[in-house]
Amino acid sequence: EELARRVQRIEDRRSDAHQRLELAERDRLDLGDRLAEARGTVADEELDERLEARRDEVRELEAQVREAAARLAEGHPEETEAEAARQRDALDAAERSLRERRDALMQLTGRLAEAGQEGLFERWQEARRTVVRDERDVARRTRRAEAAKRLFTALRDEREAARSHYAAPLASSIAMLGRPLFGDDFAVELDDDLRIERRIQGGRNLAESQLSAGAREQLGLLARLAAARIAGDVPLWLDDALGHTDPVRLAALGPVLASAGETSQVIVLTCSPERFDAVPDARRVSLR
């Protein structure tokens, strides 16, 4: 589940990167179209040529102004004044034209800056690299998630197979060991973890949590004896067991423990050995 959430977050990042990439690509294409349209109207080289021509005109007009000023100084005021007025008008017109050309050049320069200098192409490249990295990361995490899922499924299936293999024999063995204690109709139901969930006795079906402490203790002992028998007669240790069991039940449990001792070694540690007086042929060892 954690891997799935992380994969989802990577997928969201990947989707967001794709959206940013698409927006950047549209902006780049739009700026490219606007630049191509402007260059289709006036080429960069033509603008440079016009600018240089206007500069030449300004230099020529400035030379004429200087010449008119010199003629005025030589003593022809009327003629030079009229010529100077004409030259000033021509100079003003040339300056206005030059300013217009400069404005147009600045606009084109701004468009070029928007298209290239602001790094749209670099941003597009970085977005592409991010998408590639995210896609590799998603693929890696997806493979790990699939492997984890396969492992989980295999373990679950094996667990279910093991449970089905042991559940019925264990319940049957517990019932067989407990019938001398609880009656011929005694049976148990196990939960998914092979623990006793319910006791069936005398036509009554009670949950394990509804039983007394002594009854739960006795069922736990029966479950351990049955498990030891199914596991291959392994040794069984009981540490101060049956402390809540009444004398009648203790007497009935004696033969049950004795029968378990025929196939398994049963070792009981207790400070109250009288509880197990009903176990025939029990060997007692005092640790004092």
Side-chain angles (χ1 to χ4, degrees):
E1 291 174 352
E2 176 62 22
L3 287 173
R5 287 192 292 271
R6 295 170 67 183
V7 166
Q8 184 59 46
R9 289 195 294 270
I10 293 298
E11 282 291 343
D12 294 341
R13 288 174 51 200
R14 176 174 175 271
S15 177
D16 182 64
H18 271 299
Q19 292 176 358
R20 294 200 305 271
L21 176 61
E22 292 174 358
L23 290 175
E25 181 66 14
R26 286 198 293 270
D27 291 342
R28 187 179 69 84
L29 293 174
D30 180 64
L31 290 172
D33 293 339
R34 290 163 59 189
L35 179 60
E37 180 181 357
R39 283 177 169 166
T41 303
V42 180
D44 297 344
E45 294 80 6
E46 183 179 354
L47 284 177
D48 293 337
E49 291 174 1
R50 291 183 184 181
L51 179 60
E52 189 60 31
R54 292 301 180 184
R55 287 173 177 170
D56 292 339
E57 292 177 5
V58 169
R59 286 192 290 269
E60 181 179 355
L61 290 173
E62 288 175 345
Q64 292 177 5
V65 168
R66 288 193 296 271
E67 181 181 355
R71 290 171 60 187
L72 181 61
E74 290 174 358
H76 304 282
E78 297 83 2
E79 181 180 352
T80 54
E81 184 64 28
E83 181 64 21
R86 288 195 299 271
Q87 295 299 334
R88 281 195 293 271
D89 293 340
L91 180 60
D92 291 340
E95 288 179 346
R96 285 194 300 272
S97 178
L98 181 60
R99 284 195 298 271
E100 292 173 357
R101 297 302 178 184
R102 283 176 176 171
D103 291 342
L105 181 60
M106 289 178 63
Q107 291 178 359
L108 289 175
T109 302
R111 291 181 181 179
L112 286 173
E114 285 185 65
Q117 294 178 3
E118 290 184 356
L120 286 178
F121 181 71
E122 289 76 7
R123 287 165 56 191
W124 175 77
Q125 286 183 321
E126 179 61 26
R128 285 295 304 168
R129 287 192 291 268
T130 300
V131 168
V132 172
R133 286 196 301 268
D134 289 347
E135 287 176 344
R136 286 199 297 265
D137 191 44
V138 167
R140 183 175 64 255
R141 293 181 184 278
T142 300
R143 289 194 299 271
R144 293 178 60 188
E146 290 175 349
K149 182 179 179 180
R150 287 196 298 271
L151 177 60
F152 171 79
T153 302
L155 291 175
R156 183 192 60 193
D157 293 344
E158 289 298 325
R159 179 176 178 274
E160 291 299 325
R163 182 188 177 281
S164 62
H165 178 73
Y166 286 112
L170 180 60
S172 177
S173 182
I174 293 173
M176 182 186 65
L177 290 172
R179 279 168 188 160
L181 186 67
F182 296 107
D184 293 338
D185 60 348
F186 169 70
V188 294
E189 293 180 1
L190 305 180
D191 61 12
D192 292 340
D193 294 322
L194 300 180
R195 292 192 295 260
I196 295 177
E197 184 176 31
R198 307 187 71 82
R199 185 191 72 177
I200 303 171
Q201 180 186 4
R204 299 182 63 189
N205 190 326
L206 294 177
E208 191 267 349
S209 59
Q210 295 177 294
L211 302 176
S212 65
R216 292 198 299 270
E217 185 179 57
Q218 295 150 27
L219 290 178
L221 176 61
L222 294 175
R224 295 183 65 185
L225 294 173
R229 177 175 294 182
I230 293 175
D233 299 327
V234 297
L236 180 63
W237 290 73
L238 303 177
D239 186 9
D240 204 21
L242 305 178
H244 299 282
T245 301
D246 60 85
V248 175
R249 297 293 188 188
L250 285 173
L253 279 169
V256 175
L257 286 171
S259 65
E262 295 175 359
T263 56
S264 298
Q265 184 182 21
V266 180
I267 300 174
V268 179
L269 302 177
T270 180
C271 58
S272 302
E274 64 275 5
R275 295 180 195 164
F276 301 93
D277 288 341
V279 180
D281 301 325
R283 179 185 175 189
R284 297 190 180 186
V285 177
S286 176
L287 300 181
R288 286 188 286 178

